[in-house]
Amino acid sequence: MAHMFIFGLGYSAKVIKSSLERIGWSVSATGREGDFAFADTRAVQTALERASHVLSSVPPAEEVDPVLETYGDALGKRWLGYLSSSGVYGDTGGAWVDESAPTGTGRRTARAEADARWLDLGARVFRLPGIYGPGRSALERVRSGRARRIDLPGQVFSRVHVEDIARGVIAALEAPNGAYNLADDLPASQNDVVEEACRLLGVEAPPLLSLEAADLSPTARGFYAENRRVANGKARRLLGWRPRYPTYREGLRALARRSWPAAQ
């Protein structure tokens, strides 16, 4: 039986695990909801010996990749996957980027270095934009009063539904190694997404604020510091991947129906 070992059973990895198990895979993982503690090196290395495939969703910590630093020598010549970020491309002023674009010029230098190291090992590296899905979308932010509309004309972002990430990883199980952007087909401003969530919930959109007046966290301000559109053509060509939710509209509509059947 094919066995996937996942480092870091976080939000996206849990959906990947469930998707693999539905098609008959055995999956084990590190993490609070996983099978092993990351620091239990004996148990992890024993599990790695049984694994036919290894996927890491662990981001850099203190400028290094914990998985590569601790277990890099045990990864071997098996299928490897890594959940990276489209943040490795940095700010492009709203221009499109594909996998041939330079990396390491933005604020996520440690992520770019980890991305490059996994590529050197022959991994399938999945570069992900803003991730949303059940329990983590503009719908929750609107309902909780945390949604913001920021007055930044021309600012756009790409995003991807978490279920489409899982579909992309599964599509890459038999695909060549290399980098793959998994992003939907319609980069859009955060304002557009918030306004659509408000429409679905039948509430007024929050006021338009300047970046300074929005009182954002440093992480959120960093999000607005970059502006790019992420192209998904390579994943379409080589993986045969097609997003089930090609834009935020389909994604939010499906989430609203799942959580709030009365939403229109």
Side-chain angles (χ1 to χ4, degrees):
M1 179 185 294
H3 181 93
M4 177 74 78
F5 186 90
I6 299 177
F7 284 102
L9 196 62
Y11 182 73
S12 298
K14 285 191 286 188
V15 177
I16 294 168
K17 178 178 185 289
S18 297
S19 298
L20 286 167
E21 290 172 338
R22 282 197 297 271
I23 59 175
W25 281 60
S26 173
V27 183
S28 56
T30 69
R32 285 179 295 179
E33 299 183 48
D35 307 281
F36 312 100
F38 181 86
D40 189 346
T41 55
R42 179 176 297 181
V44 170
Q45 289 179 352
T46 298
L48 283 173
E49 291 173 2
R50 303 196 311 268
S52 56
H53 296 63
V54 175
L55 175 73
S56 174
S57 71
V58 178
E62 298 180 357
E63 303 303 310
V64 299
D65 185 305
V67 173
L68 294 179
E69 292 299 310
T70 308
Y71 297 106
D73 292 341
L75 295 178
K77 297 295 183 181
R78 54 173 64 85
W79 187 98
L80 299 175
Y82 177 61
L83 301 188
S84 185
S85 166
S86 61
V88 300
Y89 297 120
D91 179 32
T92 68
W96 287 93
V97 290
D98 64 15
E99 293 83 353
S100 67
T103 62
T105 60
R107 58 192 173 91
R108 297 192 177 184
T109 55
R111 175 70 89 172
E113 290 171 4
D115 182 296
R117 290 182 66 187
W118 281 97
L119 285 174
D120 287 343
L121 290 175
R124 286 81 180 156
V125 172
F126 306 99
R127 293 174 178 164
L128 310 175
I131 300 167
Y132 73 101
R136 187 180 294 189
S137 76
L139 295 168
E140 284 76 24
R141 292 194 298 276
V142 168
R143 285 173 60 87
S144 67
R146 294 179 293 113
R148 298 288 185 272
R149 290 196 304 147
I150 309 298
D151 187 13
L152 287 174
Q155 189 81 7
V156 295
F157 310 98
S158 290
R159 51 194 51 79
V160 64
H161 193 289
V162 67
E163 292 176 12
D164 283 325
I165 296 173
R167 289 161 59 86
V169 171
I170 290 173
L173 293 173
E174 303 296 333
N177 61 332
Y180 295 95
N181 293 338
L182 298 182
D184 74 13
D185 296 335
L186 184 64
S189 73
Q190 189 71 356
N191 293 348
D192 290 344
V193 178
V194 169
E195 288 163 11
E196 178 67 6
C198 290
R199 187 189 69 80
L200 289 167
L201 296 175
V203 300
E204 287 190 17
L208 197 61
L209 302 174
S210 69
L211 188 61
E212 292 71 24
D215 192 26
L216 300 175
S217 69
T219 299
R221 288 182 71 90
F223 178 78
Y224 282 97
E226 295 179 349
N227 182 9
R228 63 181 162 268
R229 293 171 165 87
V230 180
N232 63 23
K234 181 180 177 182
R236 286 177 170 272
R237 293 190 307 273
L238 297 189
L239 306 183
W241 177 79
R242 300 291 184 273
R244 176 173 294 168
Y245 305 103
T247 82
Y248 66 88
R249 297 187 186 99
E250 291 89 352
L252 290 179
R253 191 178 306 127
L255 292 171
R257 288 171 178 164
R258 178 185 300 186
S259 302
W260 304 287
Q264 297 299 313

